[in-house]
Amino acid sequence: MPVLPGAEPYRHEGGEVGVLLCHGFTGSPQSLRPWAEHHAAHGLTVSLPLLPGHGTRWEDMQVTTWQDWYAEVDRELRVLSERCSRVFVLGLSMGGALALRLAALHGARVTGAVVVNPANKVHGLSAYALPVARHLVRTTKGIASDIAQEGAAEVGYDRVPLHSAHSLRQFLRRVDGELPQVTQPLLLLHSAQDHVVPPADSARVLSRVSSTDVTEIVLEQSYHVATLDKDADRIFEESLAFIERLAPGAGKDGAGEDGVGKDGKEGTAAVG
């Protein structure tokens, strides 16, 4: 199936410091594209992959599992590690959970982690029915485009495959058990109002990780997809400052004139 317009993966060859960005459940790289391009414009090497089953149609996602999604970002991290001296993992929602698992399992290979509205649990009584319900009902309503900014939209599915939701629940339970293995510096940003992932998930992450260098920032003006919302610029600036603090000189080498990635698409194409 062809990839939805705007949902293409993004890569940029920059300097010796790399960033790997992980998008969310039923979403696509479009939700993180402006964030990726911001770091590319400052000379960082950037990888923003499209997770298996995403960015096409929900039927394609139905036949994938968390192991497929994690394997993709794990592979990208290994590639970046060969190319860069330091690598940071960044993620939104489920992408935040993916980033935290990379930090937990890869240790020193990951210099630091930045997560925005990280998912930690599938909430509600319906979550407990997923093992059976997924065999009776194929989908439920979508979760894309929870954005306060008028006119902004996320490229994502309008339906959630229940087989995939069941796999997500299994994945988040696994990651929760691995959070004490996260020791790297952590920047966690979460929205005051989020209709997809409650603030309790961020609180749980903060209480479970073993990191001693932890910064928490509350985003007052944005909903769940904060990277496309009113606080987007703050996310970009705070994450870049976090990276530059831990990797002095990051971005000074390899900065292009416009920060355009290998696919040649301008940053404005990612929003909308």
Side-chain angles (χ1 to χ4, degrees), residues 110-121:
V110 174
T111 302
V114 182
V115 294
V116 178
N117 294 323
N120 177 259
K121 182 180 180 181

Side-chain angles (χ1 to χ4, degrees), residues 1-263:
M1 290 295 297
V3 174
L4 296 170
E8 302 87 357
Y10 173 86
R11 289 177 177 82
H12 173 82
E13 290 292 333
E16 287 297 313
V17 176
V19 292
L20 169 59
L21 297 99
C22 310
H23 70 75
F25 182 71
T26 74
S28 74
Q30 178 262 355
S31 62
L32 302 185
R33 180 67 177 263
W35 195 9
E37 291 185 337
H38 179 84
H39 289 322
H42 284 81
L44 304 181
T45 292
V46 178
S47 175
L48 171 52
L50 173 63
L51 300 180
H54 291 71
T56 54
R57 56 177 191 161
W58 68 260
E59 289 89 346
D60 296 328
M61 189 178 182
Q62 176 91 337
V63 295
T64 64
T65 65
W66 74 260
Q67 288 91 340
D68 300 310
W69 314 327
Y70 179 75
E72 182 67 21
V73 296
D74 184 90
R75 180 165 48 248
E76 289 292 324
L77 176 62
R78 294 175 189 275
V79 171
L80 271 181
S81 297
E82 293 176 359
R83 163 70 175 79
C84 300
S85 59
R86 297 190 183 185
V87 177
F88 292 80
V89 291
L90 288 60
L92 167 69
S93 193
M94 180 188 75
L98 289 168
L100 289 168
R101 186 165 206 251
L102 289 171
L105 300 190
H106 284 277
R109 182 174 279 174
V110 174
T111 302
V114 182
V115 294
V116 178
N117 294 323
N120 177 259
K121 182 180 180 181
V122 176
H123 295 268
L125 294 175
S126 60
Y128 297 96
L130 279 173
V132 174
R134 65 193 177 104
H135 297 293
L136 305 174
V137 181
R138 299 182 73 189
T139 67
T140 187
K141 64 179 181 179
I143 56 174
S145 289
D146 184 36
I147 303 173
Q149 179 68 52
E150 185 176 352
E154 179 185 16
V155 175
Y157 297 147
D158 59 2
R159 305 297 299 174
V160 174
L162 291 193
H163 278 298
S164 303
H166 174 65
S167 188
L168 172 65
R169 181 170 180 255
Q170 293 177 316
F171 173 64
L172 295 180
R173 293 175 69 180
R174 179 179 293 263
V175 174
D176 185 69
E178 295 167 341
L179 286 177
Q181 297 171 231
V182 177
T183 59
Q184 298 91 337
L186 172 65
L187 171 60
L188 187 151
L189 307 98
H190 63 92
S191 300
Q193 291 188 70
D194 188 327
H195 307 98
V196 178
V197 173
D201 283 31
S202 290
R204 173 72 176 180
V205 169
L206 291 170
S207 71
R208 295 278 290 161
V209 298
S210 298
S211 306
T212 55
D213 181 345
V214 177
T215 303
E216 177 187 11
I217 295 175
V218 178
L219 306 172
E220 300 288 354
Q221 303 181 73
S222 301
Y223 294 161
H224 183 62
V225 191
T227 50
L228 295 179
D229 216 329
K230 297 178 181 180
D231 291 295
D233 286 344
R234 186 178 186 191
I235 294 170
F236 305 163
E237 292 163 5
E238 294 282 1
S239 61
L240 182 63
F242 174 81
I243 291 168
E244 291 178 336
R245 174 170 67 84
L246 296 171
K252 291 184 178 179
D253 298 324
E257 293 183 359
D258 56 11
V260 174
K262 280 188 171 182
D263 59 8

